[in-house]
Amino acid sequence: MKGKTVNEHPPTENHVARRTVDGDLIEWLEVPERARLLNLEPHPEGGWYRRTWTGTNPVETENGVRPAATLIYFLLPPGENSVWHRVSSDEIWLWHGPGSLVLEFGGSGEEPQMTDALTLGPAPQHGDSAQALVPAGTWQRTIPSATEVLVSCLVSPGFSFDDWQLTQEG
């Protein structure tokens, strides 16, 4: 994403912008059908998302007041991935399908160092999980899949882009 030159005008009316948290244009994307049906928007780290729930109880964190928890849909169309990032809260991934995805863990150091991976998917007999915990402060990313996959991500204390970090390569 770094160093791209992108035209500020969409190629067609079917394209939407993926932007950084600061609003800088990253790229233009065609909206996948499921993203359109679920009213998802491009996430700065990759994939598509929409917050579906915010807890009503506030909690004090070292970065300010946050909701007790938040929940999003997160869609990865075929070939898309999320880049290395971390959140200062625990995050639980919940698999919905239809495809599977590989979630990689990169430790909690200054830069990610691949430490482990698991597959969220439909085949527990082959080691797939239906949910996964990413502990607070742990680097994570997803690997592109050949098929579309929808998950939900529950973050507690609730997600804020102020508590989110993307690698420099992202």
Side-chain angles (χ1 to χ4, degrees):
M1 286 193 243
K2 192 175 178 182
K4 273 188 178 179
T5 302
V6 182
N7 186 336
E8 281 291 332
H9 302 287
T12 72
E13 64 184 38
N14 296 327
H15 285 76
V16 297
R18 180 181 319 276
R19 295 187 179 277
T20 66
V21 174
D22 296 328
D24 296 331
L25 180 63
I26 298 170
E27 62 186 334
W28 290 104
L29 301 165
E30 284 194 55
V31 181
E33 180 67 9
R34 185 170 290 185
R36 186 185 65 72
L37 292 170
L38 294 174
N39 197 28
L40 308 180
E41 61 186 69
H43 198 292
E45 75 196 30
W48 298 75
Y49 81 109
R50 175 173 57 90
R51 185 177 285 190
T52 58
W53 175 76
T54 301
T56 57
N57 295 322
V59 296
E60 187 67 42
T61 72
E62 64 184 39
N63 296 325
V65 176
R66 303 285 183 259
T70 56
L71 182 67
I72 65 165
Y73 276 139
F74 186 68
L75 175 73
L76 286 168
E80 281 201 44
N81 64 295
S82 66
V83 296
W84 285 115
H85 64 283
R86 64 179 168 182
V87 179
S88 63
S89 297
D90 288 338
E91 183 171 1
I92 298 174
W93 288 59
L94 306 162
W95 175 80
H96 303 300
S100 53
L101 68 80
V102 175
L103 179 60
E104 291 187 338
F105 299 86
S108 58
E110 285 301 309
E111 293 293 325
Q113 300 289 322
M114 214 322 233
T115 59
D116 199 9
L118 65 81
T119 300
L120 289 164
Q125 69 275 24
H126 298 297
D128 291 2
S129 297
Q131 64 184 38
L133 168 66
V134 180
T138 301
W139 290 101
Q140 59 180 297
R141 72 175 175 185
T142 60
I143 301 303
S145 172
T147 56
E148 179 181 88
V149 62
L150 179 67
V151 298
S152 288
C153 296
L154 176 72
V155 177
S156 180
F159 181 83
S160 168
F161 278 109
D162 293 337
D163 304 328
W164 176 81
Q165 183 182 2
L166 195 65
T167 57
Q168 295 301 315
E169 293 79 41

